[in-house]
C-alpha cells in the first residue's frame, strides 16, 4: 500500500497538479487519518475529483467511465460481497470469458485487485470512476440486496436449535458469539448503514418476520426472517441496547454505538408490543455525516443569506419548524456549529442528545429525575449563556421561558411542529404567549420539508404545458424544461435517489412585527406580509429546485401539500 501511495503522489507531482510540499502534508495527514491519499488531496482542496481522474486516465491508460450511463446487471454486482464493495470502493461492471471489468475509485489499489482475483478466480480489468459516483452506486445496489452471505445465514437461522430459554426470553439468555442470529443482526445493521437507510423496521407478522429499511423517506422490504428466530433476534438487539430482555409487555427505548466501515454509528432502539410480538425500530445516526455546514444544507442563495442574517443577531428567538424527520435537528446542529466560538457560551437541552458537539455544553432531559424542559431551561438561564438551543418546545411553559430568554439578551433556538413558517405565530399564541411578547422576541422562522431527489441516471426532460402551469400557479414557467422520474437499477426503479430540503425563511420585519402585535393571526395574511418582506414560499423554493433538475414537480407538490 505504501508503494501504491507513493506512485499516486509521484504521478500527481510529475504532472504539476500538486507540489512536493502538498504531497508531504497529505502523507503526514494520512498517517493519522488512514484515508486514501487521493481523498485527502481532494479534501484539502489541492486537486478536484475530475483532475485526479484525468491525470490517472492519461498517465496509466486506464479508461474512465460514467456510472450513470452504464447498464450494470444487479446479478453481476452480487458476485462480490457487499463488505468488499464498500471496503475497496469497487463495483463489478461486467464479466466476459473469465475476465471481470471492475469499476474502481483507485486503480492503483493492487491489494483490492488481488483480493478480488483470488475470490472470484477471474482476471480483473480495472476502469475508473470518481469516489463520489462509486459511493452512490454501491449504496443503491447494495441497500436492498440479499447477498450470498445473508442467504447462507437465513438458511442457518431456519435450521438452528434456539432452545427453550431463548424462546421464552428469560433473563440471562445470551447466545454464543458465533450463533447465526448474532451474525445476522450484525450483517443487517451493516447492510442498512452501507445502503444509506435512516431506519430499520423489524416487525413480527403471523407466520414470519418482515424486515424493512427506510431509504430516502420510503420503506422498502429487504428480507423475511423465520418466525422461530424472532425471540432470539429481539433478545440480541435488547442486549446490545442494555434493555430488559425479560420485559416484553411495555415499550422500551435504548441506544447503542457500533463502528461500521471505520465510522461511528449510533442506533436508537425502540420496542413496541404487538399482537404477534415486539416490533423493533432502529434509528440510524451516522456521526460522520451528521453535522453539515450551512452551505451544504441545500438552502437557495437567498434563503442562505437570510438564515445567516438571523443567526448573527445578538439576541432573539429563531424557530425551526417541520414534520418529524424533516431534518430540523440537523439544521440546528449546523447553525450551532457555525456559531461555535470560544468567546460564546452555548448550551443545549435535548431529548435525546443525538450527536456530541465539541465545545458546546449539551444537557440530556431526564424526566424521571425531574430534569424536564422547563426545569432544565431555568437552570440554563443561571449558567450565563450566550446561545441556548432547546430541542423542542412541547408546552407553554417552555415556550414562555424561551421568550423570556430571547428578551433578556440571549439568542434562543428551538423547534416546533407547524405546517408553515407563518403558522408558527398562531401556534405560539395558542401556547399562551402574549402577542406583544412574541412580536418583541421572535426574530424569524425556518420551515423545511425533505423530498426525494431525482435520479440523474434515468430522469427524462419535458416542457411544462400551459394547463399544468395554470393548475400549479406557475405560468411564468410555461414552455420551460423540467424533469420527470422514470426508474432504473441505480434508483431501485423509483426514479429518485437521495433527498433534498425545501425551505422558507421568515425574517420578522417591521410590518410582520406590527401584524403580530395587532393580533393578526390569519396564516394567509401573515404569509402575504412575509412574502412582501422578502420570504420565498416553500412551494416557490420547490419549483426553483425542480426547474434546476434537482427534483420533480410531482415531488414538490407532494412535499408541500402533504407535509413531506
Amino acid at each position: 500500500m505504501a508503494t501504491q501511495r507513493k506512485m499516486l503522489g509521484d504521478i500527481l507531482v510529475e504532472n504539476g497538479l500538486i507540489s512536493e510540499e502538498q504531497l508531504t502534508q497529505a502523507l503526514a495527514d494520512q498517517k493519522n487519518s488512514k484515508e486514501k491519499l487521493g481523498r485527502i488531496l481532494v479534501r484539502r482542496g489541492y486537486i478536484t475529483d475530475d483532475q485526479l481522474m484525468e491525470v490517472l486516465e492519461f498517465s496509466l491508460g486506464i479508461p474512465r467511465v460514467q456510472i450513470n450511463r452504464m447498464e450494470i446487471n444487479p446479478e453481476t454486482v452480487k458476485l462480490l460481497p457487499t463488505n468488499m464493495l464498500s471496503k475497496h470502493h469497487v463495483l463489478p461492471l461486467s464479466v466476459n470469458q473469465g475476465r471481470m471489468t471492475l469499476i474502481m475509485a483507485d486503480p492503483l489499489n493492487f491489494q483490492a485487485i488481488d483480493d478480488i482475483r483470488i475470490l472470484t478466480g477471474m482476471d480483473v480489468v480495472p476502469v475508473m470512476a470518481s469516489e463520489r459516483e462509486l459511493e452512490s452506486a454501491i449504496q443503491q445496489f447494495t441497500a436492498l440486496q440479499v447477498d450470498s452471505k445473508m442467504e447462507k445465514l437465513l438458511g442457518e437461522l431456519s435450521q438452528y436449535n434456539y432452545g427453550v430459554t431463548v424462546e421464552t426470553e428469560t433473563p440471562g439468555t445470551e447466545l454464543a458469539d458465533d450463533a447465526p442470529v448474532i451474525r445476522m443482526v450484525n450483517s443487517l445493521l451493516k447492510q442498512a448503514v452501507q445502503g444509506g437507510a435512516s431506519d430499520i423496521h423489524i416487525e413480527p407478522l403471523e407466520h414470519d418476520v418482515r424486515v424493512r429499511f427506510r431509504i430516502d423517506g420510503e420503506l422498502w422490504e429487504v428480507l423475511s426472517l423465520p418466525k422461530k428466530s424472532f425471540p432470539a433476534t429481539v433478545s440480541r438487539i435488547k442486549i446490545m441496547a442494555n434493555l430488559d430482555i425479560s420485559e416484553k409487555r411495555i415499550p422500551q427505548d435504548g441506544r447503542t454505538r457500533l463502528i461500521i466501515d471505520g465510522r461511528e454509528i449510533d442506533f436508537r432502539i425502540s420496542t413496541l408490543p404487538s399482537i404477534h410480538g415486539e416490533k423493533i425500530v432502529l434509528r440510524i445516526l451516522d456521526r460522520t455525516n451528521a453535522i453539515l455546514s450551512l452551505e451544504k444544507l441545500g438552502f437557495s442563495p437567498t434563503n442562505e443569506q437570510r438564515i445567516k442574517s438571523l443567526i448573527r443577531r445578538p439576541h432573539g428567538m429563531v424557530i425551526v419548524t417541520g414534520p418529524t424527520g424533516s431534518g430540523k435537528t440537523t439544521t440546528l446542529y449546523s447553525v450551532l456549529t457555525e456559531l461555535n466560538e470560544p468567546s460564546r457560551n452555548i448550551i443545549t437541552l435535548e431529548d435525546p442528545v443525538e450527536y456530541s458537539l465539541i465545545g458546546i455544553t449539551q444537557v440530556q432531559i431526564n424526566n424521571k429525575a425531574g430534569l424536564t424542559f422547563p426545569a432544565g431551561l431555568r437552570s440554563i438561564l443561571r449558567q450565563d449563556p450566550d446561545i441556548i438551543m432547546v430541542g423542542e418546545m412541547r408546552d407553554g411553559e417552555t415556550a414562555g421561558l424561551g421568550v423570556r430568554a430571547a428578551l433578556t439578551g440571549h439568542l434562543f433556538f428551538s423547534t416546533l411542529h407547524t405546517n408553515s413558517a407563518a403558522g408558527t405565530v398562531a401556534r405560539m399564541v395558542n401556547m399562551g404567549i402574549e402577542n406583544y411578547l412574541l412580536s418583541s422576541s421572535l426574530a424569524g422562522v425556518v420551515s423545511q420539508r425533505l423530498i426525494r431527489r431525482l435520479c440523474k441516471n434515468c430522469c427524462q426532460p419535458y416542457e411544462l404545458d400551459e394547463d399544468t402551469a395554470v393548475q400549479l400557479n406557475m405560468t411564468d414557467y410555461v414552455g420551460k424544461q423540467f424533469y420527470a422520474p422514470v426508474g432504473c437499477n441505480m434508483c431501485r426503479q423509483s426514479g429518485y435517489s437521495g433527498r433534498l430540503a425545501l425551505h422558507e425563511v421568515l425574517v420578522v420585519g417591521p410590518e410582520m412585527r406590527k401584524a403580530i402585535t395587532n393580533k393578526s393571526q390569519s396564516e394567509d395574511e401573515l404569509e402575504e406580509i412575509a412574502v412582501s418582506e422578502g420570504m420565498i414560499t416553500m412551494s416557490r423554493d420547490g419549483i426553483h429546485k425542480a426547474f434546476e433538475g434537482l427534483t420533480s414537480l410531482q415531488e414538490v407538490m407532494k412535499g408541500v401539500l402533504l407535509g413531506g
Side-chain angles (χ1 to χ4, degrees), residues 8 11-12 49-68 70 72 89-91 93 101-109 113 124-134:
L8 176 60
I11 290 171
L12 294 172
D49 269 331
D50 283 339
Q51 287 175 319
L52 180 61
M53 291 292 105
E54 285 173 10
V55 74
L56 289 176
E57 183 177 16
F58 177 77
S59 301
L60 303 176
I62 297 175
R64 180 184 181 183
V65 299
Q66 291 183 294
I67 298 178
N68 59 4
M70 310 300 296
I72 302 177
H89 287 92
V90 298
L91 194 69
L93 175 60
T101 301
L102 188 70
I103 308 174
M104 306 183 69
D106 180 2
L108 296 175
N109 188 345
I113 293 173
V124 175
V125 180
V127 294
M128 291 189 301
S130 73
E131 190 163 7
R132 186 183 66 256
E133 284 183 272
L134 260 176

Tab-separated table of all heavy atoms in Angstrom, residues 8 11-12 49-68 70 72 89-91 93 101-109 113 124-134:
chain	number	residue	atom	x	y	z
A	8	LEU	N	0.977	7.125	-6.693
A	8	LEU	CA	-0.047	8.119	-6.949
A	8	LEU	C	0.512	9.524	-6.711
A	8	LEU	O	0.320	10.431	-7.524
A	8	LEU	CB	-1.264	7.870	-6.047
A	8	LEU	CG	-2.389	8.904	-6.138
A	8	LEU	CD1	-2.937	8.981	-7.552
A	8	LEU	CD2	-3.503	8.582	-5.148
A	11	ILE	N	2.911	10.537	-9.497
A	11	ILE	CA	2.210	10.851	-10.750
A	11	ILE	C	1.641	12.262	-10.699
A	11	ILE	O	1.761	13.038	-11.659
A	11	ILE	CB	1.077	9.817	-10.995
A	11	ILE	CG1	1.684	8.459	-11.351
A	11	ILE	CG2	0.136	10.286	-12.101
A	11	ILE	CD1	0.666	7.331	-11.395
A	12	LEU	N	1.037	12.625	-9.563
A	12	LEU	CA	0.420	13.943	-9.441
A	12	LEU	C	1.461	15.058	-9.418
A	12	LEU	O	1.255	16.131	-10.004
A	12	LEU	CB	-0.444	13.993	-8.176
A	12	LEU	CG	-1.668	13.066	-8.177
A	12	LEU	CD1	-2.337	13.053	-6.811
A	12	LEU	CD2	-2.662	13.491	-9.244
A	49	ASP	N	-11.809	16.046	-7.913
A	49	ASP	CA	-12.057	14.669	-8.349
A	49	ASP	C	-11.758	14.521	-9.840
A	49	ASP	O	-11.127	13.549	-10.268
A	49	ASP	CB	-13.520	14.277	-8.089
A	49	ASP	CG	-13.706	13.630	-6.721
A	49	ASP	OD1	-12.753	12.999	-6.245
A	49	ASP	OD2	-14.793	13.766	-6.151
A	50	ASP	N	-12.229	15.495	-10.634
A	50	ASP	CA	-12.046	15.409	-12.089
A	50	ASP	C	-10.568	15.461	-12.467
A	50	ASP	O	-10.117	14.724	-13.349
A	50	ASP	CB	-12.798	16.553	-12.780
A	50	ASP	CG	-14.299	16.291	-12.844
A	50	ASP	OD1	-14.693	15.112	-12.742
A	50	ASP	OD2	-15.066	17.260	-12.995
A	51	GLN	N	-9.802	16.330	-11.800
A	51	GLN	CA	-8.368	16.413	-12.088
A	51	GLN	C	-7.670	15.098	-11.764
A	51	GLN	O	-6.806	14.631	-12.521
A	51	GLN	CB	-7.736	17.551	-11.284
A	51	GLN	CG	-8.087	18.936	-11.790
A	51	GLN	CD	-7.524	20.021	-10.886
A	51	GLN	OE1	-7.561	19.910	-9.659
A	51	GLN	NE2	-7.013	21.096	-11.491
A	52	LEU	N	-8.050	14.498	-10.637
A	52	LEU	CA	-7.454	13.223	-10.235
A	52	LEU	C	-7.748	12.147	-11.273
A	52	LEU	O	-6.851	11.402	-11.697
A	52	LEU	CB	-8.006	12.809	-8.866
A	52	LEU	CG	-7.492	11.484	-8.291
A	52	LEU	CD1	-5.982	11.530	-8.096
A	52	LEU	CD2	-8.195	11.172	-6.977
A	53	MET	N	-9.007	12.089	-11.725
A	53	MET	CA	-9.389	11.085	-12.714
A	53	MET	C	-8.669	11.318	-14.054
A	53	MET	O	-8.179	10.379	-14.686
A	53	MET	CB	-10.906	11.131	-12.936
A	53	MET	CG	-11.755	10.651	-11.774
A	53	MET	SD	-11.608	8.861	-11.465
A	53	MET	CE	-10.569	8.882	-9.999
A	54	GLU	N	-8.591	12.565	-14.458
A	54	GLU	CA	-7.977	12.884	-15.758
A	54	GLU	C	-6.506	12.494	-15.799
A	54	GLU	O	-6.030	11.911	-16.777
A	54	GLU	CB	-8.137	14.374	-16.061
A	54	GLU	CG	-9.537	14.766	-16.490
A	54	GLU	CD	-9.706	16.267	-16.616
A	54	GLU	OE1	-8.678	16.981	-16.542
A	54	GLU	OE2	-10.849	16.735	-16.766
A	55	VAL	N	-5.772	12.826	-14.739
A	55	VAL	CA	-4.338	12.539	-14.757
A	55	VAL	C	-4.078	11.041	-14.668
A	55	VAL	O	-3.152	10.522	-15.302
A	55	VAL	CB	-3.600	13.304	-13.628
A	55	VAL	CG1	-3.874	12.687	-12.255
A	55	VAL	CG2	-2.092	13.325	-13.901
A	56	LEU	N	-4.900	10.320	-13.911
A	56	LEU	CA	-4.724	8.872	-13.835
A	56	LEU	C	-5.073	8.213	-15.168
A	56	LEU	O	-4.392	7.280	-15.613
A	56	LEU	CB	-5.589	8.291	-12.711
A	56	LEU	CG	-5.132	8.606	-11.278
A	56	LEU	CD1	-6.121	8.052	-10.257
A	56	LEU	CD2	-3.740	8.041	-11.014
A	57	GLU	N	-6.131	8.705	-15.809
A	57	GLU	CA	-6.524	8.147	-17.113
A	57	GLU	C	-5.416	8.365	-18.138
A	57	GLU	O	-5.060	7.471	-18.909
A	57	GLU	CB	-7.827	8.805	-17.575
A	57	GLU	CG	-8.362	8.242	-18.871
A	57	GLU	CD	-9.691	8.868	-19.268
A	57	GLU	OE1	-10.040	9.935	-18.706
A	57	GLU	OE2	-10.382	8.300	-20.134
A	58	PHE	N	-4.835	9.579	-18.123
A	58	PHE	CA	-3.787	9.897	-19.091
A	58	PHE	C	-2.492	9.148	-18.785
A	58	PHE	O	-1.836	8.606	-19.693
A	58	PHE	CB	-3.530	11.406	-19.076
A	58	PHE	CG	-2.416	11.850	-19.977
A	58	PHE	CD1	-2.604	11.951	-21.336
A	58	PHE	CD2	-1.158	12.157	-19.450
A	58	PHE	CE1	-1.566	12.355	-22.173
A	58	PHE	CE2	-0.125	12.556	-20.272
A	58	PHE	CZ	-0.321	12.658	-21.640
A	59	SER	N	-2.118	9.089	-17.511
A	59	SER	CA	-0.820	8.515	-17.135
A	59	SER	C	-0.828	6.992	-17.157
A	59	SER	O	0.180	6.370	-17.499
A	59	SER	CB	-0.423	8.991	-15.735
A	59	SER	OG	-0.342	10.397	-15.688
A	60	LEU	N	-1.949	6.401	-16.780
A	60	LEU	CA	-1.997	4.951	-16.649
A	60	LEU	C	-2.669	4.258	-17.827
A	60	LEU	O	-2.588	3.034	-17.964
A	60	LEU	CB	-2.733	4.557	-15.356
A	60	LEU	CG	-2.163	5.134	-14.053
A	60	LEU	CD1	-3.045	4.731	-12.881
A	60	LEU	CD2	-0.733	4.659	-13.835
A	61	GLY	N	-3.373	5.034	-18.650
A	61	GLY	CA	-4.063	4.422	-19.777
A	61	GLY	C	-5.278	3.618	-19.359
A	61	GLY	O	-5.726	2.735	-20.103
A	62	ILE	N	-5.801	3.909	-18.163
A	62	ILE	CA	-6.995	3.196	-17.670
A	62	ILE	C	-8.215	4.054	-17.972
A	62	ILE	O	-8.285	5.207	-17.551
A	62	ILE	CB	-6.880	2.923	-16.152
A	62	ILE	CG1	-5.690	2.003	-15.879
A	62	ILE	CG2	-8.166	2.310	-15.614
A	62	ILE	CD1	-5.435	1.777	-14.400
A	63	PRO	N	-9.170	3.525	-18.726
A	63	PRO	CA	-10.314	4.354	-19.125
A	63	PRO	C	-11.205	4.741	-17.945
A	63	PRO	O	-11.330	4.006	-16.968
A	63	PRO	CB	-11.081	3.453	-20.113
A	63	PRO	CG	-10.662	2.064	-19.769
A	63	PRO	CD	-9.250	2.160	-19.270
A	64	ARG	N	-11.815	5.914	-18.087
A	64	ARG	CA	-12.769	6.390	-17.083
A	64	ARG	C	-14.185	6.179	-17.599
A	64	ARG	O	-14.455	6.402	-18.784
A	64	ARG	CB	-12.532	7.875	-16.807
A	64	ARG	CG	-13.483	8.467	-15.775
A	64	ARG	CD	-13.257	9.955	-15.628
A	64	ARG	NE	-14.145	10.537	-14.633
A	64	ARG	CZ	-14.202	11.840	-14.348
A	64	ARG	NH1	-13.408	12.676	-14.979
A	64	ARG	NH2	-15.044	12.285	-13.437
A	65	VAL	N	-15.081	5.743	-16.722
A	65	VAL	CA	-16.474	5.520	-17.110
A	65	VAL	C	-17.381	6.414	-16.281
A	65	VAL	O	-17.026	6.833	-15.180
A	65	VAL	CB	-16.894	4.039	-16.925
A	65	VAL	CG1	-16.055	3.125	-17.796
A	65	VAL	CG2	-16.807	3.620	-15.460
A	66	GLN	N	-18.539	6.727	-16.830
A	66	GLN	CA	-19.574	7.442	-16.095
A	66	GLN	C	-20.644	6.423	-15.705
A	66	GLN	O	-21.373	5.915	-16.553
A	66	GLN	CB	-20.168	8.561	-16.950
A	66	GLN	CG	-19.200	9.707	-17.196
A	66	GLN	CD	-19.854	10.827	-17.984
A	66	GLN	OE1	-20.216	10.660	-19.142
A	66	GLN	NE2	-19.991	11.977	-17.354
A	67	ILE	N	-20.705	6.149	-14.415
A	67	ILE	CA	-21.560	5.062	-13.942
A	67	ILE	C	-23.013	5.292	-14.313
A	67	ILE	O	-23.736	4.348	-14.645
A	67	ILE	CB	-21.403	4.896	-12.412
A	67	ILE	CG1	-19.953	4.514	-12.077
A	67	ILE	CG2	-22.349	3.825	-11.879
A	67	ILE	CD1	-19.686	4.374	-10.596
A	68	ASN	N	-23.465	6.557	-14.249
A	68	ASN	CA	-24.884	6.799	-14.505
A	68	ASN	C	-25.271	6.562	-15.963
A	68	ASN	O	-26.452	6.599	-16.307
A	68	ASN	CB	-25.290	8.212	-14.073
A	68	ASN	CG	-24.515	9.295	-14.791
A	68	ASN	OD1	-23.718	9.012	-15.677
A	68	ASN	ND2	-24.740	10.537	-14.395
A	70	MET	N	-23.976	3.734	-17.515
A	70	MET	CA	-23.657	2.322	-17.729
A	70	MET	C	-24.840	1.441	-17.350
A	70	MET	O	-25.583	1.730	-16.408
A	70	MET	CB	-22.432	1.903	-16.894
A	70	MET	CG	-21.231	2.811	-17.022
A	70	MET	SD	-20.604	2.949	-18.718
A	70	MET	CE	-20.072	1.271	-19.018
A	72	ILE	N	-25.611	-1.736	-15.599
A	72	ILE	CA	-24.972	-2.681	-14.679
A	72	ILE	C	-26.012	-3.683	-14.217
A	72	ILE	O	-27.062	-3.310	-13.674
A	72	ILE	CB	-24.357	-1.946	-13.477
A	72	ILE	CG1	-23.330	-0.912	-13.952
A	72	ILE	CG2	-23.713	-2.937	-12.512
A	72	ILE	CD1	-22.715	-0.077	-12.842
A	89	HIS	N	-14.123	0.275	-2.388
A	89	HIS	CA	-14.752	1.222	-3.302
A	89	HIS	C	-14.650	0.721	-4.743
A	89	HIS	O	-14.041	1.353	-5.620
A	89	HIS	CB	-14.133	2.623	-3.181
A	89	HIS	CG	-14.528	3.327	-1.937
A	89	HIS	ND1	-13.797	3.262	-0.777
A	89	HIS	CD2	-15.614	4.095	-1.649
A	89	HIS	CE1	-14.394	3.959	0.160
A	89	HIS	NE2	-15.506	4.478	-0.324
A	90	VAL	N	-15.268	-0.439	-4.971
A	90	VAL	CA	-15.266	-1.051	-6.303
A	90	VAL	C	-16.676	-1.515	-6.634
A	90	VAL	O	-17.518	-1.688	-5.747
A	90	VAL	CB	-14.297	-2.255	-6.379
A	90	VAL	CG1	-12.861	-1.815	-6.124
A	90	VAL	CG2	-14.697	-3.349	-5.380
A	91	LEU	N	-16.927	-1.731	-7.938
A	91	LEU	CA	-18.222	-2.222	-8.385
A	91	LEU	C	-18.009	-3.020	-9.671
A	91	LEU	O	-17.452	-2.494	-10.639
A	91	LEU	CB	-19.173	-1.050	-8.652
A	91	LEU	CG	-20.650	-1.380	-8.807
A	91	LEU	CD1	-21.244	-1.826	-7.477
A	91	LEU	CD2	-21.413	-0.170	-9.330
A	93	LEU	N	-18.579	-4.292	-13.210
A	93	LEU	CA	-19.326	-3.747	-14.335
A	93	LEU	C	-19.844	-4.864	-15.238
A	93	LEU	O	-21.008	-4.880	-15.620
A	93	LEU	CB	-18.447	-2.788	-15.132
A	93	LEU	CG	-19.041	-2.208	-16.420
A	93	LEU	CD1	-20.308	-1.424	-16.114
A	93	LEU	CD2	-18.021	-1.313	-17.123
A	101	THR	N	-14.599	-6.905	-15.514
A	101	THR	CA	-14.319	-5.472	-15.625
A	101	THR	C	-14.789	-4.820	-14.341
A	101	THR	O	-15.965	-4.916	-13.972
A	101	THR	CB	-15.041	-4.859	-16.835
A	101	THR	OG1	-14.612	-5.535	-18.022
A	101	THR	CG2	-14.715	-3.374	-16.951
A	102	LEU	N	-13.870	-4.160	-13.648
A	102	LEU	CA	-14.127	-3.664	-12.294
A	102	LEU	C	-13.986	-2.145	-12.253
A	102	LEU	O	-12.930	-1.604	-12.592
A	102	LEU	CB	-13.122	-4.302	-11.318
A	102	LEU	CG	-13.332	-4.055	-9.834
A	102	LEU	CD1	-14.572	-4.784	-9.334
A	102	LEU	CD2	-12.107	-4.488	-9.034
A	103	ILE	N	-15.066	-1.468	-11.842
A	103	ILE	CA	-15.005	-0.014	-11.670
A	103	ILE	C	-14.334	0.281	-10.337
A	103	ILE	O	-14.753	-0.228	-9.292
A	103	ILE	CB	-16.409	0.619	-11.697
A	103	ILE	CG1	-17.176	0.184	-12.943
A	103	ILE	CG2	-16.309	2.140	-11.634
A	103	ILE	CD1	-18.620	0.655	-12.965
A	104	MET	N	-13.287	1.124	-10.353
A	104	MET	CA	-12.516	1.405	-9.152
A	104	MET	C	-12.341	2.912	-8.973
A	104	MET	O	-12.194	3.655	-9.945
A	104	MET	CB	-11.126	0.747	-9.221
A	104	MET	CG	-11.143	-0.743	-9.492
A	104	MET	SD	-9.470	-1.453	-9.485
A	104	MET	CE	-9.029	-1.328	-7.750
A	105	ALA	N	-12.368	3.356	-7.729
A	105	ALA	CA	-12.034	4.748	-7.441
A	105	ALA	C	-10.527	4.936	-7.468
A	105	ALA	O	-10.026	6.017	-7.789
A	105	ALA	CB	-12.598	5.161	-6.087
A	106	ASP	N	-9.797	3.877	-7.125
A	106	ASP	CA	-8.337	3.937	-7.068
A	106	ASP	C	-7.772	2.740	-7.829
A	106	ASP	O	-7.606	1.654	-7.281
A	106	ASP	CB	-7.873	3.898	-5.606
A	106	ASP	CG	-6.360	3.969	-5.471
A	106	ASP	OD1	-5.685	4.090	-6.499
A	106	ASP	OD2	-5.859	3.905	-4.325
A	107	PRO	N	-7.474	2.898	-9.113
A	107	PRO	CA	-6.983	1.770	-9.911
A	107	PRO	C	-5.584	1.310	-9.517
A	107	PRO	O	-5.092	0.300	-10.032
A	107	PRO	CB	-7.012	2.323	-11.339
A	107	PRO	CG	-6.851	3.797	-11.172
A	107	PRO	CD	-7.568	4.138	-9.899
A	108	LEU	N	-4.930	2.053	-8.615
A	108	LEU	CA	-3.613	1.637	-8.119
A	108	LEU	C	-3.726	0.798	-6.843
A	108	LEU	O	-2.711	0.462	-6.243
A	108	LEU	CB	-2.751	2.873	-7.842
A	108	LEU	CG	-2.399	3.728	-9.066
A	108	LEU	CD1	-1.654	4.975	-8.643
A	108	LEU	CD2	-1.581	2.925	-10.060
A	109	ASN	N	-4.941	0.473	-6.450
A	109	ASN	CA	-5.151	-0.346	-5.259
A	109	ASN	C	-4.965	-1.811	-5.645
A	109	ASN	O	-5.915	-2.554	-5.877
A	109	ASN	CB	-6.554	-0.099	-4.694
A	109	ASN	CG	-6.756	-0.777	-3.349
A	109	ASN	OD1	-5.987	-1.639	-2.943
A	109	ASN	ND2	-7.801	-0.371	-2.652
A	113	ILE	N	-7.377	-5.461	-6.138
A	113	ILE	CA	-7.377	-6.287	-7.360
A	113	ILE	C	-6.992	-7.719	-7.034
A	113	ILE	O	-7.629	-8.675	-7.502
A	113	ILE	CB	-6.424	-5.675	-8.407
A	113	ILE	CG1	-6.972	-4.324	-8.883
A	113	ILE	CG2	-6.220	-6.624	-9.583
A	113	ILE	CD1	-6.033	-3.550	-9.789
A	124	VAL	N	-8.864	-9.497	-13.469
A	124	VAL	CA	-9.549	-8.240	-13.173
A	124	VAL	C	-9.025	-7.145	-14.104
A	124	VAL	O	-7.817	-6.902	-14.176
A	124	VAL	CB	-9.339	-7.830	-11.703
A	124	VAL	CG1	-9.961	-6.460	-11.436
A	124	VAL	CG2	-9.943	-8.878	-10.772
A	125	VAL	N	-9.948	-6.511	-14.808
A	125	VAL	CA	-9.610	-5.405	-15.704
A	125	VAL	C	-10.194	-4.120	-15.090
A	125	VAL	O	-11.411	-3.942	-15.054
A	125	VAL	CB	-10.195	-5.616	-17.111
A	125	VAL	CG1	-9.830	-4.436	-18.019
A	125	VAL	CG2	-9.719	-6.937	-17.692
A	126	PRO	N	-9.340	-3.215	-14.565
A	126	PRO	CA	-9.871	-2.023	-13.899
A	126	PRO	C	-10.280	-0.923	-14.880
A	126	PRO	O	-9.641	-0.726	-15.916
A	126	PRO	CB	-8.700	-1.564	-13.026
A	126	PRO	CG	-7.483	-2.042	-13.754
A	126	PRO	CD	-7.871	-3.307	-14.466
A	127	VAL	N	-11.371	-0.248	-14.540
A	127	VAL	CA	-11.732	1.031	-15.161
A	127	VAL	C	-11.990	1.989	-14.007
A	127	VAL	O	-12.140	1.569	-12.857
A	127	VAL	CB	-12.968	0.913	-16.082
A	127	VAL	CG1	-12.667	0.038	-17.278
A	127	VAL	CG2	-14.176	0.373	-15.313
A	128	MET	N	-12.067	3.290	-14.292
A	128	MET	CA	-12.124	4.270	-13.213
A	128	MET	C	-13.453	5.023	-13.177
A	128	MET	O	-14.084	5.243	-14.205
A	128	MET	CB	-11.001	5.302	-13.369
A	128	MET	CG	-9.613	4.785	-13.138
A	128	MET	SD	-8.442	6.170	-13.107
A	128	MET	CE	-8.710	6.886	-14.724
A	129	ALA	N	-13.815	5.439	-11.956
A	129	ALA	CA	-14.905	6.389	-11.738
A	129	ALA	C	-14.571	7.157	-10.470
A	129	ALA	O	-13.776	6.692	-9.637
A	129	ALA	CB	-16.247	5.688	-11.620
A	130	SER	N	-15.171	8.328	-10.311
A	130	SER	CA	-14.884	9.115	-9.113
A	130	SER	C	-15.430	8.409	-7.881
A	130	SER	O	-16.401	7.640	-7.952
A	130	SER	CB	-15.500	10.510	-9.222
A	130	SER	OG	-16.907	10.445	-9.059
A	131	GLU	N	-14.789	8.657	-6.742
A	131	GLU	CA	-15.206	8.026	-5.492
A	131	GLU	C	-16.635	8.406	-5.136
A	131	GLU	O	-17.396	7.588	-4.628
A	131	GLU	CB	-14.245	8.431	-4.368
A	131	GLU	CG	-14.466	7.641	-3.094
A	131	GLU	CD	-13.269	7.751	-2.153
A	131	GLU	OE1	-12.355	8.542	-2.441
A	131	GLU	OE2	-13.268	7.036	-1.152
A	132	ARG	N	-17.014	9.652	-5.425
A	132	ARG	CA	-18.375	10.106	-5.120
A	132	ARG	C	-19.406	9.312	-5.917
A	132	ARG	O	-20.410	8.857	-5.380
A	132	ARG	CB	-18.506	11.600	-5.435
A	132	ARG	CG	-19.831	12.209	-5.028
A	132	ARG	CD	-19.934	13.667	-5.434
A	132	ARG	NE	-19.950	13.841	-6.888
A	132	ARG	CZ	-18.912	14.261	-7.599
A	132	ARG	NH1	-17.774	14.565	-7.018
A	132	ARG	NH2	-18.996	14.397	-8.920
A	133	GLU	N	-19.146	9.119	-7.222
A	133	GLU	CA	-20.044	8.336	-8.066
A	133	GLU	C	-20.136	6.894	-7.577
A	133	GLU	O	-21.219	6.309	-7.515
A	133	GLU	CB	-19.551	8.337	-9.514
A	133	GLU	CG	-19.789	9.596	-10.304
A	133	GLU	CD	-19.309	9.432	-11.735
A	133	GLU	OE1	-18.118	9.700	-11.992
A	133	GLU	OE2	-20.107	9.006	-12.582
A	134	LEU	N	-18.983	6.333	-7.240
A	134	LEU	CA	-18.951	4.937	-6.802
A	134	LEU	C	-19.708	4.740	-5.501
A	134	LEU	O	-20.460	3.770	-5.352
A	134	LEU	CB	-17.497	4.473	-6.634
A	134	LEU	CG	-16.927	3.648	-7.784
A	134	LEU	CD1	-15.465	3.329	-7.535
A	134	LEU	CD2	-17.708	2.365	-7.984
